[in-house]
Amino acid sequence: LSGRLDALPLMERLKVLLKNHNVQVVVIDEMQNSLPLATGQRVLEIAKTLTELIDDTRIPFILLGTPALLKLKEIDKRSTDHLYEEQLSRRFKRPIHIPHFPIRIRQWIELINFLAEKKGIAPLTKEHITVSSRLHIATNGKVGLLQKLFSLLKPVPDLTSPASLAALSEAYKEGFSSGLNPFDPIDLSDKEVNKIELKFQ
């Protein structure tokens, strides 16, 4: 997406690849990392590149990222230099916010067990409130962060033993920010975890 003139041959190759491989949808994660800090010409170029791909291939694009992606929706409002450009921001659908999983609901346990099963780990039940709550605290109920944690987790038979808690602690240290470790009983005791008075639904 850098320099439109330099990128033209790559664009044509990409269109051919998308067509030849019968691609039905394109999902781009962390799209905000492709955008500059301020709205301007660079954002306009990226927006025009995306709309050109969509128009020429008739394939929907799903852009995943932080609220910084809203710059694509603001390009026509903030820059007087673009008054004569097509209303590109109108081409992008309304952003969809993916909510976090609330703590201690059945679906949260189901998500944990889905990822655990893929790694050969025994499933949790709703009685395993402490460990499921620790997992929620560590990931803030975000699917992507829970997947990341499981990807870093060394093989364990279950998630409830002290050895498994230590493995989760190591995975958290490896892939997440420093500070309080939700899987360290010294940082966060079972009693503190269980103070959260929410019920499974």
Side-chain angles (χ1 to χ4, degrees):
L1 297 177
S2 62
R4 286 179 60 78
L5 291 176
D6 296 337
L8 285 176
L10 291 175
M11 281 279 290
E12 294 307 313
R13 289 176 60 190
L14 178 58
K15 292 173 188 176
V16 170
L17 282 171
L18 292 173
K19 180 179 179 180
N20 290 347
H21 290 275
N22 195 28
V23 175
Q24 299 299 308
V25 64
V26 175
V27 180
I28 304 178
D29 196 9
E30 302 293 343
M31 181 64 195
Q32 78 281 352
N33 292 331
S34 300
L35 301 174
L37 294 176
T39 301
Q41 184 64 32
R42 174 81 172 129
V43 175
L44 179 65
E45 289 176 359
I46 292 171
K48 292 189 76 170
T49 299
L50 289 170
T51 52
E52 179 182 333
L53 280 169
I54 293 167
D55 287 345
D56 290 355
T57 64
R58 313 306 296 174
I59 297 172
F61 278 63
I62 299 175
L63 311 180
L64 302 179
T66 67
L69 268 180
L70 291 177
K71 287 198 286 282
L72 287 174
K73 303 255 325 155
E74 297 293 321
I75 56 176
D76 299 319
K77 298 177 184 177
R78 295 187 181 180
S79 179
T80 56
D81 296 338
H82 305 149
L83 288 178
Y84 297 103
E85 294 288 350
E86 300 176 26
Q87 293 292 309
L88 293 174
S89 66
R90 295 181 182 178
R91 303 286 304 280
F92 296 94
K93 302 295 185 183
R94 180 177 299 182
I96 297 174
H97 174 68
I98 301 175
H100 304 167
F101 277 77
I103 196 169
R104 295 187 184 176
I105 64 168
R106 176 176 51 80
Q107 289 83 357
W108 176 243
I109 289 288
E110 290 174 352
L111 175 59
I112 293 170
N113 287 339
F114 172 77
L115 296 173
E117 182 182 3
K118 293 175 73 172
K119 295 205 71 165
I121 300 173
L124 294 180
T125 69
K126 65 181 182 179
E127 280 72 39
H128 297 125
I129 290 175
T130 304
V131 67
S132 67
S133 295
R134 287 185 186 277
L135 286 164
H136 194 282
I137 293 166
T139 62
N140 198 27
K142 295 181 179 180
V143 177
L145 292 181
L146 187 65
Q147 289 176 314
K148 177 181 178 181
L149 183 65
F150 270 89
S151 72
L152 297 170
L153 181 62
K154 294 178 181 177
V156 292
D158 57 61
L159 297 171
T160 59
S161 67
S164 298
L165 196 63
L168 284 165
S169 178
E170 288 303 312
Y172 186 82
K173 288 178 186 176
E174 181 181 346
F176 293 76
S177 60
S178 59
L180 184 144
N181 186 330
F183 304 106
D184 187 334
I186 296 175
D187 284 353
L188 191 65
S189 68
D190 286 351
K191 184 176 180 180
E192 290 172 310
V193 172
N194 292 328
K195 280 182 181 178
I196 303 173
E197 296 295 336
L198 296 173
K199 306 296 183 182
F200 278 101
Q201 297 176 357

